[in-house]
Short mmCIF file of all heavy atoms in Angstrom, two decimals:
data_model
loop_
_atom_site.label_atom_id
_atom_site.label_comp_id
_atom_site.label_asym_id
_atom_site.label_seq_id
_atom_site.Cartn_x
_atom_site.Cartn_y
_atom_site.Cartn_z
N VAL A 55 -18.61 3.84 1.75
CA VAL A 55 -17.69 3.20 0.77
C VAL A 55 -16.24 3.62 1.11
O VAL A 55 -15.33 2.78 1.04
CB VAL A 55 -18.07 3.54 -0.66
CG1 VAL A 55 -17.07 2.95 -1.65
CG2 VAL A 55 -19.47 3.03 -1.00
N SER A 56 -16.03 4.86 1.42
CA SER A 56 -14.68 5.33 1.75
C SER A 56 -14.09 4.58 2.93
O SER A 56 -12.88 4.34 2.97
CB SER A 56 -14.69 6.82 2.04
OG SER A 56 -15.05 7.54 0.90
N ASP A 57 -14.93 4.18 3.88
CA ASP A 57 -14.45 3.40 5.01
C ASP A 57 -13.91 2.03 4.57
O ASP A 57 -12.97 1.52 5.15
CB ASP A 57 -15.60 3.13 5.99
CG ASP A 57 -15.57 4.06 7.19
OD1 ASP A 57 -14.69 4.96 7.23
OD2 ASP A 57 -16.41 3.86 8.10
N VAL A 58 -14.56 1.44 3.58
CA VAL A 58 -14.12 0.12 3.06
C VAL A 58 -12.74 0.32 2.44
O VAL A 58 -11.82 -0.48 2.70
CB VAL A 58 -15.10 -0.44 2.03
CG1 VAL A 58 -14.62 -1.79 1.52
CG2 VAL A 58 -16.53 -0.58 2.61
N VAL A 59 -12.58 1.33 1.64
CA VAL A 59 -11.30 1.60 1.00
C VAL A 59 -10.23 1.85 2.07
O VAL A 59 -9.12 1.31 2.02
CB VAL A 59 -11.40 2.78 0.01
CG1 VAL A 59 -10.02 3.14 -0.55
CG2 VAL A 59 -12.34 2.43 -1.12
N ALA A 60 -10.57 2.68 3.05
CA ALA A 60 -9.63 2.98 4.14
C ALA A 60 -9.22 1.73 4.89
O ALA A 60 -8.05 1.59 5.25
CB ALA A 60 -10.25 4.01 5.09
N SER A 61 -10.16 0.83 5.09
CA SER A 61 -9.80 -0.40 5.81
C SER A 61 -8.85 -1.28 4.98
O SER A 61 -7.97 -1.93 5.54
CB SER A 61 -11.06 -1.19 6.19
OG SER A 61 -11.62 -1.87 5.07
N LEU A 62 -9.05 -1.27 3.66
CA LEU A 62 -8.13 -2.02 2.80
C LEU A 62 -6.70 -1.40 2.85
O LEU A 62 -5.72 -2.14 2.90
CB LEU A 62 -8.63 -2.06 1.37
CG LEU A 62 -9.86 -2.93 1.13
CD1 LEU A 62 -10.46 -2.68 -0.25
CD2 LEU A 62 -9.52 -4.40 1.29
N PHE A 63 -6.64 -0.10 2.86
CA PHE A 63 -5.33 0.55 2.95
C PHE A 63 -4.69 0.26 4.29
O PHE A 63 -3.52 0.00 4.39
CB PHE A 63 -5.46 2.06 2.75
CG PHE A 63 -5.75 2.49 1.36
CD1 PHE A 63 -6.69 3.45 1.10
CD2 PHE A 63 -5.10 1.92 0.27
CE1 PHE A 63 -6.98 3.86 -0.21
CE2 PHE A 63 -5.34 2.33 -1.01
CZ PHE A 63 -6.29 3.31 -1.25
N GLN A 64 -5.51 0.32 5.36
CA GLN A 64 -5.00 0.07 6.70
C GLN A 64 -4.47 -1.35 6.80
O GLN A 64 -3.39 -1.60 7.38
CB GLN A 64 -6.07 0.34 7.76
CG GLN A 64 -5.60 0.17 9.19
CD GLN A 64 -4.47 1.09 9.56
OE1 GLN A 64 -4.43 2.24 9.11
NE2 GLN A 64 -3.55 0.63 10.37
N TYR A 65 -5.22 -2.29 6.25
CA TYR A 65 -4.78 -3.68 6.27
C TYR A 65 -3.46 -3.83 5.55
O TYR A 65 -2.52 -4.46 6.03
CB TYR A 65 -5.87 -4.57 5.64
CG TYR A 65 -5.44 -6.01 5.45
CD1 TYR A 65 -5.32 -6.85 6.54
CD2 TYR A 65 -5.14 -6.48 4.19
CE1 TYR A 65 -4.92 -8.16 6.39
CE2 TYR A 65 -4.75 -7.80 4.02
CZ TYR A 65 -4.63 -8.63 5.11
OH TYR A 65 -4.23 -9.93 4.94
N GLY A 66 -3.38 -3.25 4.35
CA GLY A 66 -2.12 -3.30 3.60
C GLY A 66 -0.95 -2.66 4.34
O GLY A 66 0.13 -3.20 4.39
N TYR A 67 -1.23 -1.51 4.94
CA TYR A 67 -0.19 -0.80 5.71
C TYR A 67 0.32 -1.71 6.84
O TYR A 67 1.54 -1.84 7.05
CB TYR A 67 -0.79 0.49 6.27
CG TYR A 67 0.15 1.22 7.20
CD1 TYR A 67 1.15 2.04 6.69
CD2 TYR A 67 0.01 1.09 8.57
CE1 TYR A 67 2.01 2.70 7.54
CE2 TYR A 67 0.86 1.78 9.42
CZ TYR A 67 1.86 2.57 8.89
OH TYR A 67 2.71 3.23 9.75
N GLU A 68 -0.59 -2.35 7.56
CA GLU A 68 -0.22 -3.22 8.69
C GLU A 68 0.60 -4.42 8.21
O GLU A 68 1.62 -4.77 8.80
CB GLU A 68 -1.44 -3.65 9.47
CG GLU A 68 -2.07 -2.55 10.27
CD GLU A 68 -3.44 -2.91 10.83
OE1 GLU A 68 -3.85 -4.08 10.75
OE2 GLU A 68 -4.09 -2.00 11.36
N ILE A 69 0.18 -5.05 7.13
CA ILE A 69 0.87 -6.21 6.59
C ILE A 69 2.29 -5.82 6.18
O ILE A 69 3.28 -6.48 6.51
CB ILE A 69 0.13 -6.84 5.40
CG1 ILE A 69 -1.21 -7.42 5.86
CG2 ILE A 69 0.97 -7.87 4.69
CD1 ILE A 69 -1.11 -8.61 6.76
N ILE A 70 2.39 -4.74 5.42
CA ILE A 70 3.71 -4.30 4.92
C ILE A 70 4.62 -3.92 6.07
O ILE A 70 5.76 -4.36 6.15
CB ILE A 70 3.55 -3.14 3.92
CG1 ILE A 70 2.90 -3.66 2.62
CG2 ILE A 70 4.90 -2.51 3.60
CD1 ILE A 70 2.42 -2.57 1.67
N THR A 71 4.13 -3.09 6.98
CA THR A 71 5.00 -2.65 8.07
C THR A 71 5.38 -3.78 8.98
O THR A 71 6.54 -3.87 9.43
CB THR A 71 4.37 -1.51 8.88
OG1 THR A 71 3.08 -1.88 9.35
CG2 THR A 71 4.26 -0.24 8.05
N ASN A 72 4.47 -4.69 9.26
CA ASN A 72 4.83 -5.86 10.10
C ASN A 72 5.85 -6.74 9.43
O ASN A 72 6.81 -7.21 10.08
CB ASN A 72 3.57 -6.68 10.45
CG ASN A 72 2.67 -5.99 11.44
OD1 ASN A 72 3.09 -5.07 12.14
ND2 ASN A 72 1.42 -6.37 11.48
N SER A 73 5.70 -6.99 8.15
CA SER A 73 6.68 -7.84 7.47
C SER A 73 8.03 -7.17 7.38
O SER A 73 9.07 -7.81 7.53
CB SER A 73 6.18 -8.26 6.09
OG SER A 73 6.06 -7.16 5.23
N ILE A 74 8.06 -5.86 7.19
CA ILE A 74 9.33 -5.14 7.16
C ILE A 74 10.00 -5.18 8.53
O ILE A 74 11.18 -5.47 8.63
CB ILE A 74 9.11 -3.65 6.70
CG1 ILE A 74 8.75 -3.61 5.22
CG2 ILE A 74 10.38 -2.82 6.98
CD1 ILE A 74 8.26 -2.26 4.74
N HIS A 75 9.24 -4.95 9.57
CA HIS A 75 9.83 -4.99 10.92
C HIS A 75 10.32 -6.38 11.28
O HIS A 75 11.36 -6.55 11.89
CB HIS A 75 8.83 -4.45 11.94
CG HIS A 75 8.72 -2.98 11.94
ND1 HIS A 75 7.66 -2.33 11.40
CD2 HIS A 75 9.59 -2.02 12.36
CE1 HIS A 75 7.84 -1.03 11.48
NE2 HIS A 75 9.00 -0.80 12.06
N ASP A 76 9.57 -7.41 10.90
CA ASP A 76 9.98 -8.78 11.14
C ASP A 76 11.29 -9.11 10.47
O ASP A 76 12.15 -9.76 11.04
CB ASP A 76 8.92 -9.79 10.69
CG ASP A 76 7.66 -9.74 11.56
OD1 ASP A 76 7.70 -9.12 12.64
OD2 ASP A 76 6.63 -10.33 11.16
N LEU A 77 11.45 -8.63 9.25
CA LEU A 77 12.69 -8.89 8.50
C LEU A 77 13.90 -8.18 9.09
O LEU A 77 15.01 -8.67 9.01
CB LEU A 77 12.53 -8.42 7.05
CG LEU A 77 11.82 -9.37 6.12
CD1 LEU A 77 11.59 -8.69 4.77
CD2 LEU A 77 12.61 -10.66 5.91
N HIS A 78 13.66 -7.02 9.66
CA HIS A 78 14.80 -6.20 10.10
C HIS A 78 15.08 -6.24 11.58
O HIS A 78 15.92 -5.48 12.03
CB HIS A 78 14.58 -4.78 9.64
CG HIS A 78 14.61 -4.64 8.15
ND1 HIS A 78 15.75 -4.87 7.41
CD2 HIS A 78 13.64 -4.37 7.23
CE1 HIS A 78 15.49 -4.73 6.16
NE2 HIS A 78 14.23 -4.43 6.02
N GLU A 79 14.41 -7.10 12.31
CA GLU A 79 14.66 -7.18 13.76
C GLU A 79 16.13 -7.49 14.04
O GLU A 79 16.74 -6.88 14.92
CB GLU A 79 13.77 -8.23 14.42
CG GLU A 79 12.53 -7.65 14.99
CD GLU A 79 11.70 -8.69 15.70
OE1 GLU A 79 12.06 -9.88 15.77
OE2 GLU A 79 10.62 -8.31 16.21
N ASP A 80 16.69 -8.40 13.29
CA ASP A 80 18.06 -8.83 13.55
C ASP A 80 19.03 -8.53 12.41
O ASP A 80 20.11 -9.09 12.37
CB ASP A 80 18.07 -10.36 13.81
CG ASP A 80 17.21 -10.74 15.01
OD1 ASP A 80 17.28 -10.01 16.03
OD2 ASP A 80 16.50 -11.73 14.90
N SER A 81 18.65 -7.65 11.51
CA SER A 81 19.55 -7.36 10.40
C SER A 81 19.69 -5.86 10.18
O SER A 81 18.98 -5.08 10.75
CB SER A 81 19.04 -8.05 9.14
OG SER A 81 17.79 -7.52 8.75
N ASP A 82 20.59 -5.52 9.29
CA ASP A 82 20.83 -4.11 8.97
C ASP A 82 19.73 -3.55 8.09
O ASP A 82 19.00 -4.28 7.43
CB ASP A 82 22.17 -3.98 8.23
CG ASP A 82 23.37 -4.28 9.11
OD1 ASP A 82 23.23 -4.10 10.34
OD2 ASP A 82 24.40 -4.70 8.58
N PHE A 83 19.64 -2.28 8.07
CA PHE A 83 18.68 -1.52 7.26
C PHE A 83 18.95 -1.78 5.78
O PHE A 83 20.06 -1.58 5.31
CB PHE A 83 18.85 -0.04 7.59
CG PHE A 83 18.01 0.88 6.79
CD1 PHE A 83 16.64 0.93 6.96
CD2 PHE A 83 18.59 1.69 5.83
CE1 PHE A 83 15.88 1.80 6.22
CE2 PHE A 83 17.81 2.55 5.05
CZ PHE A 83 16.47 2.62 5.28
N ASP A 84 17.94 -2.25 5.06
CA ASP A 84 18.09 -2.56 3.65
C ASP A 84 16.84 -2.14 2.91
O ASP A 84 15.79 -2.75 3.06
CB ASP A 84 18.36 -4.05 3.47
CG ASP A 84 18.64 -4.43 2.02
OD1 ASP A 84 18.14 -3.78 1.09
OD2 ASP A 84 19.41 -5.40 1.83
N MET A 85 16.97 -1.10 2.08
CA MET A 85 15.80 -0.58 1.37
C MET A 85 15.30 -1.55 0.33
O MET A 85 14.11 -1.59 0.00
CB MET A 85 16.14 0.78 0.77
CG MET A 85 16.37 1.83 1.83
SD MET A 85 16.54 3.44 1.06
CE MET A 85 17.36 4.33 2.33
N GLY A 86 16.19 -2.35 -0.24
CA GLY A 86 15.77 -3.33 -1.24
C GLY A 86 14.82 -4.36 -0.65
O GLY A 86 13.83 -4.73 -1.29
N ILE A 87 15.12 -4.81 0.55
CA ILE A 87 14.25 -5.79 1.19
C ILE A 87 12.89 -5.15 1.49
O ILE A 87 11.84 -5.78 1.29
CB ILE A 87 14.91 -6.33 2.50
CG1 ILE A 87 16.13 -7.19 2.13
CG2 ILE A 87 13.92 -7.12 3.33
CD1 ILE A 87 16.93 -7.65 3.33
N MET A 88 12.91 -3.89 1.91
CA MET A 88 11.66 -3.21 2.18
C MET A 88 10.80 -3.13 0.90
O MET A 88 9.61 -3.45 0.92
CB MET A 88 11.95 -1.80 2.68
CG MET A 88 10.73 -0.95 2.81
SD MET A 88 11.10 0.81 2.91
CE MET A 88 12.07 1.09 1.47
N LEU A 89 11.42 -2.77 -0.23
CA LEU A 89 10.67 -2.67 -1.48
C LEU A 89 10.16 -4.04 -1.93
O LEU A 89 9.06 -4.17 -2.48
CB LEU A 89 11.52 -2.03 -2.58
CG LEU A 89 11.71 -0.53 -2.47
CD1 LEU A 89 12.59 -0.03 -3.57
CD2 LEU A 89 10.37 0.22 -2.49
N LYS A 90 10.95 -5.08 -1.69
CA LYS A 90 10.50 -6.45 -2.06
C LYS A 90 9.26 -6.85 -1.23
O LYS A 90 8.36 -7.51 -1.75
CB LYS A 90 11.62 -7.43 -1.89
CG LYS A 90 12.70 -7.26 -2.94
CD LYS A 90 13.46 -8.54 -3.20
CE LYS A 90 14.55 -8.35 -4.21
NZ LYS A 90 14.10 -8.01 -5.54
N GLN A 91 9.19 -6.42 0.01
CA GLN A 91 8.01 -6.70 0.85
C GLN A 91 6.80 -5.96 0.30
O GLN A 91 5.71 -6.53 0.25
CB GLN A 91 8.28 -6.30 2.30
CG GLN A 91 9.23 -7.21 3.01
CD GLN A 91 8.72 -8.65 3.00
OE1 GLN A 91 7.59 -8.92 3.42
NE2 GLN A 91 9.55 -9.56 2.57
N ILE A 92 6.99 -4.72 -0.09
CA ILE A 92 5.88 -3.97 -0.67
C ILE A 92 5.44 -4.61 -1.98
O ILE A 92 4.24 -4.80 -2.21
CB ILE A 92 6.27 -2.46 -0.86
CG1 ILE A 92 6.44 -1.80 0.52
CG2 ILE A 92 5.24 -1.75 -1.72
CD1 ILE A 92 7.05 -0.42 0.43
N GLN A 93 6.40 -5.01 -2.80
CA GLN A 93 6.08 -5.66 -4.08
C GLN A 93 5.32 -6.95 -3.82
O GLN A 93 4.30 -7.22 -4.47
CB GLN A 93 7.34 -5.98 -4.87
CG GLN A 93 7.04 -6.75 -6.14
CD GLN A 93 8.29 -7.22 -6.86
OE1 GLN A 93 9.40 -6.74 -6.64
NE2 GLN A 93 8.11 -8.19 -7.77
N HIS A 94 5.78 -7.74 -2.88
CA HIS A 94 5.14 -9.03 -2.58
C HIS A 94 3.68 -8.83 -2.18
O HIS A 94 2.77 -9.52 -2.66
CB HIS A 94 5.92 -9.75 -1.46
CG HIS A 94 5.31 -11.05 -1.07
ND1 HIS A 94 5.31 -12.15 -1.90
CD2 HIS A 94 4.68 -11.43 0.07
CE1 HIS A 94 4.71 -13.16 -1.29
NE2 HIS A 94 4.30 -12.73 -0.09
N PHE A 95 3.43 -7.85 -1.33
CA PHE A 95 2.06 -7.58 -0.91
C PHE A 95 1.21 -7.12 -2.09
O PHE A 95 0.08 -7.56 -2.24
CB PHE A 95 2.03 -6.54 0.22
CG PHE A 95 0.63 -6.25 0.68
CD1 PHE A 95 -0.02 -7.14 1.51
CD2 PHE A 95 -0.03 -5.12 0.27
CE1 PHE A 95 -1.32 -6.90 1.91
CE2 PHE A 95 -1.32 -4.86 0.66
CZ PHE A 95 -1.97 -5.76 1.49
N MET A 96 1.76 -6.26 -2.89
CA MET A 96 0.99 -5.76 -4.06
C MET A 96 0.73 -6.88 -5.05
O MET A 96 -0.33 -6.91 -5.66
CB MET A 96 1.74 -4.60 -4.73
CG MET A 96 1.71 -3.33 -3.95
SD MET A 96 2.64 -2.08 -4.86
CE MET A 96 2.07 -0.60 -4.08
N GLU A 97 1.68 -7.79 -5.22
CA GLU A 97 1.45 -8.91 -6.14
C GLU A 97 0.31 -9.79 -5.61
O GLU A 97 -0.48 -10.28 -6.41
CB GLU A 97 2.71 -9.76 -6.29
CG GLU A 97 3.76 -9.10 -7.14
CD GLU A 97 5.07 -9.89 -7.18
OE1 GLU A 97 5.44 -10.54 -6.19
OE2 GLU A 97 5.70 -9.82 -8.23
N GLN A 98 0.25 -9.99 -4.31
CA GLN A 98 -0.83 -10.79 -3.73
C GLN A 98 -2.19 -10.13 -3.90
O GLN A 98 -3.21 -10.81 -3.88
CB GLN A 98 -0.56 -11.07 -2.25
CG GLN A 98 0.57 -11.99 -2.00
CD GLN A 98 0.83 -12.19 -0.52
OE1 GLN A 98 0.72 -11.27 0.26
NE2 GLN A 98 1.17 -13.41 -0.16
N ASN A 99 -2.18 -8.83 -4.03
CA ASN A 99 -3.43 -8.06 -4.14
C ASN A 99 -3.42 -7.26 -5.44
O ASN A 99 -3.88 -6.12 -5.47
CB ASN A 99 -3.57 -7.14 -2.91
CG ASN A 99 -3.61 -7.92 -1.65
OD1 ASN A 99 -4.64 -8.45 -1.27
ND2 ASN A 99 -2.48 -8.02 -0.98
N TYR A 100 -2.92 -7.85 -6.48
CA TYR A 100 -2.68 -7.18 -7.75
C TYR A 100 -3.95 -6.49 -8.28
O TYR A 100 -3.90 -5.32 -8.67
CB TYR A 100 -2.10 -8.13 -8.81
CG TYR A 100 -1.93 -7.45 -10.13
CD1 TYR A 100 -0.75 -6.74 -10.37
CD2 TYR A 100 -2.90 -7.48 -11.11
CE1 TYR A 100 -0.57 -6.07 -11.57
CE2 TYR A 100 -2.73 -6.83 -12.33
CZ TYR A 100 -1.56 -6.11 -12.55
OH TYR A 100 -1.39 -5.45 -13.72
N ASP A 101 -5.05 -7.22 -8.36
CA ASP A 101 -6.26 -6.63 -8.91
C ASP A 101 -6.68 -5.37 -8.21
O ASP A 101 -7.01 -4.37 -8.84
CB ASP A 101 -7.43 -7.63 -8.90
CG ASP A 101 -7.27 -8.73 -9.93
OD1 ASP A 101 -6.50 -8.55 -10.89
OD2 ASP A 101 -7.95 -9.78 -9.78
N PHE A 102 -6.64 -5.43 -6.87
CA PHE A 102 -7.04 -4.25 -6.11
C PHE A 102 -6.12 -3.08 -6.42
O PHE A 102 -6.58 -1.97 -6.73
CB PHE A 102 -7.02 -4.58 -4.61
CG PHE A 102 -7.25 -3.37 -3.73
CD1 PHE A 102 -8.49 -2.78 -3.68
CD2 PHE A 102 -6.20 -2.83 -3.00
CE1 PHE A 102 -8.70 -1.65 -2.88
CE2 PHE A 102 -6.42 -1.70 -2.22
CZ PHE A 102 -7.67 -1.12 -2.14
#
Side-chain angles (χ1 to χ4, degrees):
V55 176
S56 295
D57 260 5
V58 180
V59 174
S61 76
L62 288 168
F63 288 136
Q64 182 61 36
Y65 173 73
Y67 174 81
E68 289 169 7
I69 294 293
I70 291 168
T71 55
N72 288 340
S73 64
I74 290 169
H75 283 105
D76 290 348
L77 279 173
H78 293 294
E79 265 183 1
D80 300 317
S81 63
D82 292 332
F83 175 72
D84 185 330
M85 293 187 200
I87 292 174
M88 172 197 55
L89 286 178
K90 289 206 182 295
Q91 288 301 307
I92 292 171
Q93 175 187 344
H94 178 69
F95 181 77
M96 288 179 163
E97 285 175 328
Q98 289 178 322
N99 300 280
Y100 178 84
D101 286 342
F102 173 71

